[in-house]
């Protein structure tokens, strides 16, 4: 039977459209046997096929040993396949790598340049500190190879070696420098060196300052634009260290800007001038001003409408850098930058947003947010249309792919394409950030903000429940799930901090709850997508129940929603809200206790208990506890209520005190205020508090007693008495409904409507808005009321003044309190009560309460939760992730001192002799390992023949984090300083516990070495 | 430096994947599909730079422009030729406009090697793709941008296979679309 070539494989793939999976599985099976073939040609072909399949996503890490075999082939075209396999499939945990060391060293010293290139090209992909240590001696001579392409590849590879093993540079840098200084060197090699130096430069600019004259020469003389770009980038990192360079650089740079035909070079010149701090500061102001205006005008030209989108993007990129040092220069370009927010291109939008975020002020906030809201609205309605469309014609989903592709085509024809979800989330986050920035410093119109937030709750993408297991995806999930909650949090923050708009915030909350109620009751299917915003919304609804326009309805809606809430945390908050609302609705002690009231109360209690009862068995403890508590309390109250005979014409009866006093008093007390982020950490631990102390010395026996004991459950009298004797707590609520906003749902022909608001707010929000304004302006003579309504007679002058002054409100006039703990007692409670809540007044002067904090202790700086909390979370998460995917960490280089002349750490210097010694030892150890491994391999193969090869696919388990190779790397990293002699021993020691994991097949005490080998063989086979 | 170089076609099937850091195959595939989604949703006339795909953005620095870290991949450049998209993921030390040119250089070199290159050439000769890339970028650092030298370097490694005769010709990559089109930066 003939083996398939790669050509056959690809043709086969193309001929098996539809059932590629099966075909690929078959091919993999064939490859598995072919790659064991003794014929090198067959082996190499099989490997090439595997590499191709790896590109399509089929793991081939199981074949790493065979990769090694092909790498060691004598024929160049086979060797090349082997090296390609190593580059594409070796991972940090690939153990066979250490067996490759000798091969790499051998190929590095080959005579044919093509063969030398192979290991040089492959090394950057597979390098480890120990490998770097052993190949360095063979790599260094290649720097003076006669072939320029070998030289430049070597330079780059040395750079990658240095990233994992910084000592490389100590040995290699003098030679690289020599190459760089050599004027007869091939220009392409010089360019490669510049590329490397540019990568190194930003980490350790001071080391490269001495090169400045040569670099300058290259910049002026060299006519290579690619290199010039890198040189300018390099100079931009050098100039901050050596200001004298600026004077030298300015003429050639301005010259380049004026003359170069290459846009990329022009851009980099400008960028370099910006980044190098050449703009602005220092003496010789006129010349610099000239160049600054030259740069900015060029950038402005790039950005302005109708230009090339790429230029727009890079100009924004440059502005993003300028804004850090020269914000005023960017602020001048506000107009063109704002235009970019509306660009069709998301990349440009995001960059513009980055910029705009820093430029927000009270003047432009409204227009910026309006722009963004319009985009979001358009995108969300487009999404709805699309989903409707898809539902309506079911023919399109014959197969997933085709319908998706069709959808994509349709979409591109439609005008506003729906925005990607993560972008939507990002934009919402930015809107919240811009508005809440610096404790709402830029925000003037809180009513408008509340409307925007209400709209955002509707737009925010529903939290998806994806069950992917990696860290990154949970992070993404967190972000998506979080955004609607963050919007809700903003509503809550406004309600808590800005007392003047609290009623409006409550209205918004009611609106959201009502809408959720409608959405869930409309769809017959269980609709689990309850917005995360519900949690904070429910909180304020409960906390400020007396300001709700219709607490009964809200209670009803919440009771309806409760069984549908999946997230236990939201559920817990909503439970609390339900009982608070109940307390408010039922707790009116002035209304007479009529028969009607009695029956409605008992019905209501029965309903609440009915809803709560299933939750008493909820798996989430918090929910369970609250549900059980409230059920018991309500049952008690219900009994009390049924015991109380209603008022008749003759006898006056008070409503049960449990209902009117006890339950409401649980929720009325100190008003809660916002506390700055982290302030709680500053609360000192009370003296004598010992958290380790058991609650009860004999808890265990008490509990066991409780099991056997039957507690007498009755005697409401006792409970009644208990509650009745207790003096009621301070009460600020139970104010009757005068506080409620007069809601006027009539349509008003509002001529003062801000233009364009309808374009991003839903009609019902707009209507509510109009009604509200109507109400607010009733007393204002400047507004003409509808004829049906009685015109206001009183015209308080301050109203007029405020209205007049409105848009130009001096933001500094808003007092921002900074509260110390000492003040809290006297100040905190009273300030809120001084001013009894009444019908909302025209609110222009809005007091935004600052977060409370504990001063002095310095443990944490006070921050505003709304802006920083999530960022911090994200940051700490990012830190936890350690480093980004794809990132090559070059931080090791920081610690290395490159300056060869002042070589102070001679002890740590590169010592070729010692290294050779190490290598010899290493090689010996390797040989041993190899021998044992081969033995094991043979044994394994025998077992395989007996058992048969697993039929389908590759089941490669993710390997355990600790790996011999890794351990070895660490050890060497430490030992590199000097006594590397013990390295091999150490390595073996470190491996022992690893080997222990391999299943011992009967032979109890095998040598550690042997175990390790066994493991190795296992990996090769798996 | 350059963190990855990818080529895939209009259906998102990879034609070349080269990551300059070691990455699990499954993560590579996810990254490719995320980038493919981004590329395929670009409206006409957009710029050649993509927003960071979620995989990179999650751990990266998308929002904090305050402390740009030069090690973090922060730039995704793409360029489409006929049916193929060429992607470069890089850090901020690379010049964005020069990267667009770099892709152009790569395609030009392929065009020289295959004489009027098309997707089929790339499918059947993916080893040559790797070899060509290896003459331009080593370990994430650009070593050469001169088409002549690149082609010469690839040819030195052995004959470049000709396109299979019996396979149909697709649309030409080079002459058909894009190449020498209206946005060449003359970076060279």
């Amino acid at each position: 039977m003939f083996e398939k070539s790669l050509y056959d494989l690809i043709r086969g793939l193309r001929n098996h459209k539809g059932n590629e999976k099966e075909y690929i599985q078959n091919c993999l099976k064939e490859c598995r046997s072919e790659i064991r073939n003794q014929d090198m040609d067959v082996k190499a072909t099989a490997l090439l096929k595997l590499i191709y399949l790896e590109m399509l996503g089929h793991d081939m890490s199981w074949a790493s040993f065979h990769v090694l075999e092909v790498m060691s082939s004598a024929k160049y075209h086979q060797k090349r396949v082997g090296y390609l396999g190593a580059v594409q499939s070796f991972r940090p945990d690939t153990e066979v790598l250490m067996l490759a060391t000798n091969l790499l060293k051998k190929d590095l010293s080959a005579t044919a340049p093509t063969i030398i290139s192979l290991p040089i090209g492959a090394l950057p992909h597979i390098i480890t500190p120990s490998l770097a240590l052993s190949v360095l001696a063979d790599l260094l001579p290649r720097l003076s190879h006669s072939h320029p392409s070998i030289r430049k590849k070597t330079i780059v590879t040395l750079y990658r070696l240095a990233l994992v093993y910084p000592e490389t540079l100590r040995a290699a840098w003098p030679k690289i420098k020599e190459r760089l200084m050599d004027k007869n060197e091939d220009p392409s090699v010089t360019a490669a060196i510049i590329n490397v130096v540019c990568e190194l430069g930003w980490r350790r600019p001071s080391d490269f300052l001495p090169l400045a004259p040569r670099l300058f020469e290259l910049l002026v003389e060299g006519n290579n634009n690619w290199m010039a770009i890198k040189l300018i980038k390099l100079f931009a990192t050098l100039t901050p260290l050596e200001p004298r360079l600026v004077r030298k650089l300015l003429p050639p740079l301005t010259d380049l800007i004026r003359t170069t035909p290459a846009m990329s070079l022009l851009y980099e010149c400008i960028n370099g001038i910006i980044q190098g701090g050449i703009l602005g500061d220092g003496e010789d102001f006129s010349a610099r001003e000239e160049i600054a205006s030259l740069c900015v005008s060029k950038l402005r030209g790039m950005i302005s409408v109708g230009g090339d989108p790429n230029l727009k993007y890079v100009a924004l990129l440059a502005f993003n850098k300028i804004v850090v040092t020269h914000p005023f220069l960017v602020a001048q370009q506000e107009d063109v930058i704002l235009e970019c927010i509306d660009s069709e291109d998301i990349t440009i939008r995001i960059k513009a947003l980055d910029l705009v975020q820093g430029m927000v002020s009270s003047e432009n906030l409204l227009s910026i947010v309006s722009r963004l809201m319009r985009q979001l609205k358009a995108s969300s309605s487009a999404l709805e249309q699309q989903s409707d469309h898809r539902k309506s014609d079911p023919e399109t989903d014959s197969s997933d792919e085709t319908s998706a592709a069709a959808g994509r085509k349709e979409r591109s024809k439609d005008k506003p394409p729906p925005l990607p979800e993560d972008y939507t989330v990002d934009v919402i986050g930015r809107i919240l950030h811009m508005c809440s920035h610096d404790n709402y410093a830029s925000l003037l119109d809180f009513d408008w903000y509340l409307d925007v937030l209400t709209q955002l709750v509707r737009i925010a993408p529903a939290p998806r429940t994806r069950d992917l297991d990696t860290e990154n995806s949970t992070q993404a999930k967190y972000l998506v799930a979080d955004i609607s909650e963050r919007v809700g949090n903003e509503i809550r923050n406004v309600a808590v901090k800005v007392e003047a708009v609290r009623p409006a915030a409550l209205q918004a909350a009611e609106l959201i709850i009502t809408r959720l109620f409608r959405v869930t009751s409309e769809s017959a299917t269980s609709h689990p997508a309850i917005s995360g915003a519900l949690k904070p919304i429910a909180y304020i609804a409960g906390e400020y129940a007396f300001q709700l326009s219709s607490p009964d309805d809200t209670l009803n809606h919440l009771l309806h929603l409760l069984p549908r809430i999946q997230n236990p945390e939201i559920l817990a908050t909503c439970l609390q809200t339900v009982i608070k609302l109940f307390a408010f609705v039922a707790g009116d002690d002035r209304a007479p206790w009529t028969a009607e009231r009695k029956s409605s109360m008992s019905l209501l209690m029965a309903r609440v208990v009915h809803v709560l009862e299933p939750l008493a068995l909820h798996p989430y403890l918090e929910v369970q506890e609250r549900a059980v508590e409230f059920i018991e309390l309500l049952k008690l109250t219900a009994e009390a209520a049924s015991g109380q005979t209603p008022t008749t014409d003759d006898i006056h009866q008070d409503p049960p005190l449990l209902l009117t006093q006890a339950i409401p008093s649980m929720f009325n007390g100190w008003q809660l205020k916002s506390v700055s982020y982290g302030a709680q950490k500053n609360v000192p631990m009370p003296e004598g508090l010992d958290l380790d102390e058991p609650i009860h010395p004999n808890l265990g026996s008490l509990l066991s007693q409780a099991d056997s004991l039957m507690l007498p459950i009755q005697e409401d009298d006792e409970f009644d008495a208990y509650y009745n004797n207790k003096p009621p707590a301070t009460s600020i609520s139970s104010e009757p409904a005068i506080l409620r906003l007069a809601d006027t749902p009539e349509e008003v022909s509002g001529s003062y409507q801000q233009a364009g608001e309808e374009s991003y707010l839903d009609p019902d929000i707009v209507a509510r808005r109009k009604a509200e304004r109507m109400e607010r302006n009733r007393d204002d003579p400047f507004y003409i009321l509808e004829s049906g309504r009685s015109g206001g007679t009183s015209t308080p002058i301050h109203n007029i003044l405020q209205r007049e002054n409105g848009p130009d409100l001096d933001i500094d006039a808003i007092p921002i309190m900074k509260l110390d703990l000492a003040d809290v007692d006297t100040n905190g409670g009273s300030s809120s009560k001084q001013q009894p809540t009444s019908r909302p007044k025209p609110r222009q002067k809005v007091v935004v309460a600052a977060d409370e904090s504990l001063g002095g202790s310095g443990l944490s700086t006070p921050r505003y939760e709304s802006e920083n909390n999530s960022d911090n979370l994200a940051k700490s998460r990012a830190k936890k992730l350690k480093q980004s995917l794809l990132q090559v960490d070059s931080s090791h280089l920081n610690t290395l001192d490159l300056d060869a002349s002042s070589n102070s750490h001679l002890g740590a210097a590169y010592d070729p002799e010692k290294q050779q010694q190490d290598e010899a030892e290493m090689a010996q150890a390797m040989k041993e390992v190899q021998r044992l491994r081969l033995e094991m391999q043979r044994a394994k193969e025998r077992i395989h023949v007996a058992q048969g090869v697993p039929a389908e696919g590759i089941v490669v388990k993710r390997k355990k984090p600790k790996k011999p190779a890794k351990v070895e790397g660490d050890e060497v990293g430490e030992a590199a300083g000097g006594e590397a002699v013990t390295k091999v021993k150490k390595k073996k020691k470190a491996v022992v516990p690893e080997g222990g994991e391999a299943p011992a097949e009967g032979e109890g005490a095998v040598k550690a070495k042997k175990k390790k080998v066994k493991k190795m063989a296992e990996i090769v086979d798996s | 430096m350059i963190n990855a170089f990818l080529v895939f076609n209009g259906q998102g099937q990879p034609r070349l994947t080269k990551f300059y850091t070691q990455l699990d195959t499954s993560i590579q595939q996810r990254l490719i599909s995320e980038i493919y989604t981004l590329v395929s949703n670009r409206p006409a006339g957009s710029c050649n730079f993509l927003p960071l795909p979620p995989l990179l953005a999650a751990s990266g620095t998308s929002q904090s422009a305050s402390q740009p870290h030069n090690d973090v991949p922060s730039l995704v450049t793409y360029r489409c030729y006929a049916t193929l998209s060429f992607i470069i993921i890089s850090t901020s030390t690379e010049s964005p406009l020069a990267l667009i040119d770099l892709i152009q250089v790569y395609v030009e070199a392929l065009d020289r090697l295959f004489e009027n290159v098309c997707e089929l050439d790339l499918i059947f000769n993916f080893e040559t793709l790797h070899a060509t890339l290896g003459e331009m970028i080593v370990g994430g650092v650009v070593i050469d941008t001169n088409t002549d030298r690149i082609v010469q370097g690839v040819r030195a490694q052995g004959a470049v296979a000709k396109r299979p005769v019996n396979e149909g010709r697709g649309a030409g990559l080079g002459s058909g679309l894009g190449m020498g089109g209206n946005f060449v930066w003359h970076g060279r």
Side-chain angles (χ1 to χ4, degrees), chain A residues 5-67:
Chain A
S5 68
L6 176 66
Y7 175 73
D8 298 329
L9 170 81
I10 296 169
R11 284 199 50 176
L13 264 177
R14 292 164 67 80
N15 292 334
H16 284 76
K17 288 251 156 66
N19 55 347
E20 280 119 331
K21 243 180 208 160
E22 200 186 326
Y23 180 73
I24 288 178
Q25 287 308 331
N26 282 332
C27 290
L28 278 173
K29 225 187 287 176
E30 286 167 18
C31 290
R32 269 179 174 274
S33 58
E34 283 168 27
I35 207 162
R36 287 174 213 282
N37 198 312
Q38 288 306 309
D39 183 351
M40 205 41 124
D41 267 327
V42 176
K43 214 187 251 300
T45 311
L47 181 60
L48 194 58
K49 287 192 276 183
L50 282 176
I51 300 171
Y52 190 84
L53 293 174
E54 199 269 349
M55 178 171 76
L56 302 180
H58 300 272
D59 188 285
M60 59 168 283
S61 54
W62 52 272
S64 53
F65 180 68
H66 304 291
V67 171

Side-chain angles (χ1 to χ4, degrees), chain A residues 125 152 225-226 268 310 345, chain B residues 22 47-48 95 144 187-188:
Chain A
H125 295 263
K152 59 192 177 196
N225 282 346
W226 298 91
E268 286 307 329
N310 288 327
D345 191 335
Chain B
Q22 297 176 326
C47 65
N48 289 38
S95 166
D144 212 333
R188 285 144 288 135

Side-chain angles (χ1 to χ4, degrees), chain B residues 88-146:
Chain B
I88 295 181
I89 304 174
S90 67
T91 64
S92 59
T93 50
E94 296 295 329
S95 166
L97 297 181
L99 288 178
I100 300 180
D101 282 347
L102 192 68
I103 297 178
Q104 174 84 12
V105 170
Y106 184 58
V107 175
E108 272 174 22
L110 290 177
D111 197 43
R112 289 267 290 279
L113 285 165
F114 291 110
E115 287 153 30
N116 206 358
V117 66
C118 72
E119 191 184 339
L120 274 179
D121 296 322
L122 309 193
I123 296 174
F124 285 103
N125 295 295
F126 89 124
E127 237 191 316
T128 314
L129 286 194
H130 280 288
T132 314
L133 191 62
E135 292 298 310
M136 289 175 64
I137 305 172
V138 170
V141 179
V142 179
I143 55 161
D144 212 333
T145 49
N146 181 308

Side-chain angles (χ1 to χ4, degrees), chain A residues 295-588:
Chain A
C295 289
V296 174
S297 68
K298 286 266 180 190
L299 285 179
R300 194 189 159 89
M302 287 177 170
I303 230 174
S304 50
V305 200
D308 189 314
N310 288 327
L311 296 184
K312 222 177 235 189
Y313 174 82
V314 291
L316 286 171
L317 217 57
F319 274 134
N320 259 318
K321 283 167 190 159
I322 306 182
V323 83
V324 184
T325 49
H326 299 78
F328 59 95
L329 281 178
V330 182
Q332 289 163 7
Q333 317 302 325
E334 194 186 303
D335 48 339
V336 276
I337 293 169
L338 283 185
E339 283 301 315
C340 292
I341 293 185
D342 278 334
S343 165
E344 261 200 358
D345 191 335
I346 287 181
T347 328
I348 291 179
R349 267 193 215 174
I350 291 176
K351 280 294 160 221
L353 269 182
D354 278 340
L355 263 178
V356 164
Q357 219 171 356
M359 295 173 11
V360 165
S361 70
S362 49
E363 284 105 49
N364 59 16
L365 176 75
L366 202 91
S367 75
I368 293 174
V369 175
S370 304
R371 274 169 193 261
L372 294 176
M373 288 299 292
R374 220 168 289 138
Q375 287 173 12
L376 291 177
K377 181 80 199 299
S379 135
S380 76
S381 53
L383 261 182
E384 268 164 36
Q385 275 174 12
Q386 205 178 31
S387 61
D388 287 353
H389 185 69
R390 195 153 297 170
K391 264 180 220 159
S392 61
D393 53 10
E395 308 109 69
T396 45
D397 47 42
S398 50
S399 91
D400 279 355
E401 272 178 45
T402 53
S403 78
R408 206 171 294 124
K409 266 169 206 157
E410 275 164 37
R411 216 186 298 152
S412 56
K413 278 175 203 160
D414 278 21
K415 272 227 159 160
L419 304 165
E421 193 169 287
D422 44 338
Y423 173 75
T424 312
V425 171
D426 187 41
V427 169
I428 295 178
R430 283 171 203 262
I431 290 178
L432 298 184
H433 178 85
M434 281 189 274
C435 292
S436 64
H437 170 70
D438 199 11
N439 207 23
Y440 304 99
S442 326
L443 192 63
L444 298 179
D445 188 349
F446 276 93
D447 285 323
W448 166 82
Y449 186 41
L450 282 172
D451 289 341
V452 166
L453 290 175
T454 318
Q455 183 69 51
L456 281 180
V457 171
R458 296 180 193 182
I459 292 175
R464 280 180 296 179
T465 42
R466 292 183 294 175
D467 44 1
L468 292 169
D469 44 357
T470 62
E471 253 181 303
N472 287 318
S473 71
T474 54
Q475 164 109 3
K477 193 171 128 197
Y478 158 81
L479 284 172
V480 171
D482 198 39
I483 195 68
S484 54
E485 191 178 338
R486 274 175 70 194
V487 178
N489 282 341
E490 273 302 303
I491 299 183
R492 185 199 60 204
N493 287 356
V494 170
V496 171
K497 288 179 153 199
V498 192
E499 210 177 325
V501 291
R502 198 169 289 160
L506 265 288
Q507 265 192 312
E510 267 184 306
L511 205 65
I512 292 166
I513 293 176
T514 314
R515 193 182 138 89
L516 270 179
F517 166 72
R518 278 207 211 107
V519 169
T520 49
S521 52
E522 267 168 23
S523 57
T525 52
S526 62
H527 198 277
I530 294 271
S531 163
L534 187 57
K535 186 181 166 194
I537 297 283
Y539 170 77
I540 54 168
E543 195 64 20
Y544 307 113
F546 56 95
Q547 284 179 327
L548 287 172
S549 63
S550 160
D552 305 86
D553 286 346
T554 312
L555 177 58
N556 258 328
H557 295 159
L558 270 179
L559 284 175
H560 173 83
L561 287 175
L562 264 188
R564 283 149 224 262
I565 301 173
Q566 310 239 306
N567 183 331
E569 281 172 36
I570 301 179
L571 195 54
T573 312
C574 287
L575 267 179
Q576 200 80 18
T577 301
V578 162
I579 211 74
K580 280 178 188 171
L581 282 174
F582 170 78
F584 177 72
V585 169
D588 184 2

Side-chain angles (χ1 to χ4, degrees), chain B:
Chain B
M1 66 175 284
I2 291 165
N3 300 90
F5 194 107
L6 311 172
V7 180
F8 50 71
N9 71 357
Q11 281 80 52
Q13 290 165 325
R15 292 294 174 233
L16 169 75
T17 58
K18 183 72 100 181
F19 291 88
Y20 292 100
T21 37
Q22 297 176 326
L23 221 55
D24 257 12
T25 310
S26 58
I27 296 178
Q28 289 180 359
Q29 293 298 318
R30 254 175 66 201
L31 196 61
I32 291 169
S33 76
E34 280 184 3
I35 292 176
Y36 167 68
T37 320
L38 287 174
V39 169
S40 59
N41 281 327
R42 301 287 285 172
S46 327
C47 65
N48 289 38
F49 306 98
L50 293 175
L52 282 184
L55 253 182
L56 294 177
S59 46
T61 54
S62 59
Q63 60 246 83
S64 64
S66 54
Q67 194 51 58
H69 196 263
N70 286 345
D71 271 346
V72 180
S74 58
L75 192 64
V76 184
T77 314
Y78 80 104
R79 194 159 180 183
C80 296
Y81 293 91
T83 53
L84 293 177
S85 307
F86 293 74
I87 316 291
I88 295 181
I89 304 174
S90 67
T91 64
S92 59
T93 50
E94 296 295 329
S95 166
L97 297 181
L99 288 178
I100 300 180
D101 282 347
L102 192 68
I103 297 178
Q104 174 84 12
V105 170
Y106 184 58
V107 175
E108 272 174 22
L110 290 177
D111 197 43
R112 289 267 290 279
L113 285 165
F114 291 110
E115 287 153 30
N116 206 358
V117 66
C118 72
E119 191 184 339
L120 274 179
D121 296 322
L122 309 193
I123 296 174
F124 285 103
N125 295 295
F126 89 124
E127 237 191 316
T128 314
L129 286 194
H130 280 288
T132 314
L133 191 62
E135 292 298 310
M136 289 175 64
I137 305 172
V138 170
V141 179
V142 179
I143 55 161
D144 212 333
T145 49
N146 181 308
T147 328
D148 294 330
R149 277 196 298 265
I150 295 167
V151 170
Q152 204 184 322
V154 177
R155 293 221 169 110
Q157 295 178 24
V160 172
K162 284 282 159 252
R163 176 183 310 130
V165 191
N166 49 352
E167 290 286 337
R169 283 285 278 119
L173 249 193
S175 58
L177 263 174
M179 281 262 297
N182 49 355
F183 42 79
V184 184
W185 296 112
H186 308 295
R188 285 144 288 135

Side-chain angles (χ1 to χ4, degrees), chain A residues 166 200 202-205 207 890-897, chain B residues 69:
Chain A
L200 289 170
W202 65 269
R203 274 240 177 250
R204 308 187 52 82
D207 286 336
S890 65
S891 54
H892 300 296
L893 289 176
N894 266 350
T895 51
L896 184 78
D897 188 7
Chain B
H69 196 263

